[in-house]
Amino acid sequence: MKILAVGMNYAEHNKELNNSLLLQNPVIFSKPESAVIRENKPFFVPDWAQRFDYETELVVRINRLGKNIPERFAYRYYDEVTLGIDFTARDLQSELRSKGLPWEICKAFDGSAAVGEFISKTELPAIQNIHFHMDIEGQTVQTGWTGDMIHSVDKIISYVSQFFTLKTGDLIFTGTPAGVGPVSEGMHLTGYIEDRKVLEQRIK
Ligand code: MG
């Protein structure tokens, strides 16, 4: 199982990170299986960077083998979605970016991919019309609407499948809306798709 993730997929988030880039194709990075946190297990803040941010993202689970998937057929390759947190060592990312280096150590470390409870897409609005939000101690800190994505879920699946064979169980993190921020020990994050709680994440 692998995780493919999209960077800079919501215009408002790109502004908050001072990225004016509007790229023709999605920006893709990956995380290994060892990055996954499931079943509400806690995120332990590592000691090798100063600032770890939450990024709340719609996550799509691939349900069949696929390569070179045309965009118009991409919907057949997933039937469940959830919310995930793309934990990012922000200070380290800034340093790597400034040097033009790869992002793996700031984005793909152990525990950097929290994954919630999956919901059948048949129980939700259309894939590009889903609202989600993340609360910290009951206060909403991030809200997203998939209609604001720069690159749609189907486009992302089609695009990445040119380079990577998709397999059952692979996860696609589709990018974060604006509102990212740092986590600290003791925080409790709760993620909702529409009004359904799908993710609880404790920070330790
Ligand atoms: Mg992200």
Side-chain angles (χ1 to χ4, degrees), residues 149-163:
M149 286 183 183
I150 295 169
H151 302 291
S152 69
V153 170
D154 291 353
K155 159 128 194 208
I156 294 164
I157 288 173
S158 174
Y159 180 73
V160 298
S161 74
Q162 295 177 77
F163 309 101

Side-chain angles (χ1 to χ4, degrees), residues 37 41-46 52 87 109 111 183 201-204:
I37 308 177
K41 294 212 168 68
F43 175 79
F44 291 94
V45 182
F52 290 86
F87 283 109
F109 56 89
V183 295
Q201 188 61 56
R202 290 188 184 278
I203 310 297
K204 291 197 171 172

Side-chain angles (χ1 to χ4, degrees), residues 72-130:
R72 69 185 184 282
F73 296 138
Y75 71 94
R76 298 178 181 172
Y77 288 79
Y78 58 97
D79 45 27
E80 291 180 318
V81 304
T82 189
L83 287 187
I85 303 176
D86 169 19
F87 283 109
T88 303
R90 192 69 73 200
D91 51 334
L92 183 55
Q93 185 190 33
S94 301
E95 185 187 328
L96 295 168
R97 286 175 74 129
S98 70
K99 295 177 181 167
L101 294 172
W103 292 3
E104 270 77 1
I105 60 172
C106 69
K107 278 283 195 185
F109 56 89
D110 287 355
S112 61
V115 178
E117 175 197 341
F118 282 90
I119 306 179
S120 168
K121 67 183 183 183
T122 60
E123 296 171 35
L124 293 168
I127 192 73
Q128 298 307 142
N129 189 26
I130 293 173

Side-chain angles (χ1 to χ4, degrees), residues 6 29 55 57 86 107 175-176:
V6 183
F29 59 96
E55 295 187 357
E57 311 196 1
D86 169 19
K107 278 283 195 185
T176 185

Side-chain angles (χ1 to χ4, degrees), residues 25-46:
N25 289 315
V27 174
I28 303 298
F29 59 96
S30 70
K31 298 179 188 248
E33 191 163 8
S34 50
V36 174
I37 308 177
R38 288 187 203 270
E39 292 161 0
N40 303 325
K41 294 212 168 68
F43 175 79
F44 291 94
V45 182

Side-chain angles (χ1 to χ4, degrees), residues 15-33:
K15 282 185 206 163
E16 76 183 347
L17 290 191
N18 297 316
N19 294 312
S20 53
L21 286 177
L22 185 56
L23 300 165
Q24 195 180 347
N25 289 315
V27 174
I28 303 298
F29 59 96
S30 70
K31 298 179 188 248
E33 191 163 8

